Amino acid sequence: AWHPTKCQLAVGRMDGAVDLYAGGTDEYSNNNAKSGGGRRLHRLHHHSSPVRAVAFTPDGQILLTGSDEGMLCVWDVNRPNGPALVHHVVLAHKSWILDVTTIDKRRFVTSGADQQIHVWSLGQGYAPLHTFHCDSIPWTVHANGSNERLVTGTDHGWLQISSLNA
């Protein structure tokens, strides 16, 4: 996931870590510039299984990560001493978290291999605000530009459209 205001990239890893990289050519270290990669700024540890879902909030203050163990983590990426874990939900999904996307500055959505889509609010605790059930696995989920609807792509190639105003 690209940071919305900084030239940084967050990448989930198979070992459960999340790496934050400098993304601009002016920020590459000499060694990495030759191989075409960015300089790693931070490595975040809290998940114990592969991290598939990574997204920044629109203001870039928060990084959201989701993993195969169903854990959701919320990171404050603007701390002076580096990113810090500020919240986590151990069983946000009963299976893999496949995608996370933001709706607005406070709300975000996760989709999981448990055939559920959860709408969350930062600072709202350990339970989703709303849950949508799917007939198949929702691999990807996005909010439309007006933040009124969610569009989900499933493993059967179907699109599911859900209203956030209901």
Side-chain angles (χ1 to χ4, degrees):
W2 282 107
H3 191 284
T5 60
K6 298 178 184 175
C7 198
Q8 291 181 4
L9 179 67
V11 179
R13 295 171 42 104
M14 290 296 294
D15 64 2
V18 177
D19 287 341
L20 293 176
Y21 290 96
T25 55
D26 59 330
E27 297 183 44
Y28 289 154
S29 68
N30 288 336
N31 292 336
N32 288 332
K34 293 176 185 172
S35 65
R39 179 176 54 91
R40 189 175 74 219
L41 303 171
H42 301 283
R43 178 164 286 165
L44 311 178
H45 296 279
H46 198 72
H47 297 282
S48 61
S49 65
V51 175
R52 297 177 189 271
V54 182
F56 287 99
T57 56
D59 62 4
Q61 299 286 320
I62 300 293
L63 174 65
L64 306 161
T65 60
S67 63
D68 283 5
E69 76 238 64
M71 183 184 292
L72 172 68
C73 290
V74 178
W75 305 87
D76 180 343
V77 293
N78 287 327
R79 299 269 175 116
N81 295 331
L85 180 70
V86 293
H87 186 73
H88 73 279
V89 180
V90 174
L91 274 177
H93 282 269
K94 296 175 187 168
S95 187
W96 300 356
I97 296 178
L98 300 170
D99 199 8
V100 60
T101 191
T102 57
I103 299 171
D104 53 37
K105 186 177 176 180
R106 304 272 323 147
R107 295 179 302 158
F108 61 97
V109 181
T110 56
S111 64
D114 57 0
Q115 297 182 311
Q116 294 186 350
I117 301 165
H118 295 312
V119 179
W120 305 86
S121 180
L122 292 172
Q124 198 67 21
Y126 294 95
L129 296 174
H130 188 76
T131 297
F132 297 95
H133 299 279
C134 298
D135 292 332
S136 57
I137 296 173
W139 279 92
T140 186
V141 63
H142 294 280
N144 72 335
S146 63
N147 298 325
E148 297 172 359
R149 288 185 170 59
L150 295 177
V151 179
T152 305
T154 69
D155 62 338
H156 290 140
W158 301 335
L159 292 179
Q160 177 176 320
I161 300 174
S162 306
S163 174
L164 290 169
N165 295 327

